[in-house]
Amino acid sequence: MKNIILEKTEEFGKKISRLNIYLIKKKHEYTRSDQILRSGTSIGANVTEGTYAQSHADFISKMSIAFKEAQETKYWLNILYDSQFITTDEYTSLLNDNMDIIRILASILKSAKNKSEKK
């Protein structure tokens, strides 16, 4: 069965990894490139951990961390764009992917928390 959030976060992590390489090699930007690499790839790592959670509470915790990392990634995308390290097209593409992930994670968390409250 397809797991949309796993697929989207893995693909996003690959894009962020390529962005990191671009920022280092072409723009000689190390600090912000490292920050966005950490937060942008952490989203998928936490989603993956959440799929193998030991409990429902562990699942919610991992998805919450992924959600926070996605919000942090949005912040770094804004900083990179406003500092003119990435183009409008690059920014728009990555931001749209990031916002899709944020919406999906928000929905997952809402459903998971509702399930917890019904127990």
Side-chain angles (χ1 to χ4, degrees):
M1 183 177 214
K2 264 177 105 172
N3 187 323
I4 299 297
I5 192 63
L6 276 175
E7 289 177 12
K8 283 188 175 285
T9 56
E10 183 175 333
E11 197 56 41
F12 186 70
K14 291 174 189 176
K15 288 180 180 181
I16 291 294
S17 295
R18 288 190 294 271
L19 174 63
N20 172 261
I21 292 166
Y22 164 78
L23 289 169
I24 290 170
K25 288 188 175 183
K26 301 289 186 191
K27 300 290 186 170
H28 306 288
E29 168 45 54
Y30 302 96
T31 304
R32 286 168 278 211
S33 65
D34 184 56
Q35 291 289 344
I36 198 162
L37 178 66
R38 289 172 185 264
S39 65
T41 57
S42 179
I43 303 165
N46 280 288
V47 166
T48 300
E49 283 187 54
T51 21
Y52 298 100
Q54 296 176 353
S55 66
H56 189 67
D58 188 31
F59 173 80
I60 290 172
S61 175
K62 296 299 182 210
M63 293 300 158
S64 294
I65 293 168
F67 181 80
K68 289 177 189 177
E69 293 292 338
Q71 295 291 351
E72 181 182 340
T73 300
K74 185 172 100 176
Y75 169 82
W76 288 116
L77 285 171
N78 288 332
I79 295 295
L80 287 167
Y81 178 67
D82 291 343
S83 302
Q84 300 178 344
F85 281 101
I86 56 176
T87 67
T88 301
D89 288 344
E90 292 164 333
Y91 171 74
T92 302
S93 175
L94 289 166
L95 185 65
N96 286 340
D97 291 346
N98 193 51
M99 294 306 295
D100 284 346
I101 290 167
I102 288 171
R103 282 189 284 277
I104 294 167
L105 287 170
S107 177
I108 289 169
L109 283 166
K110 183 178 179 184
S111 295
K113 288 176 181 178
N114 284 342
K115 183 179 177 185
S116 289
E117 291 170 3
K118 291 179 181 178
K119 286 185 177 182

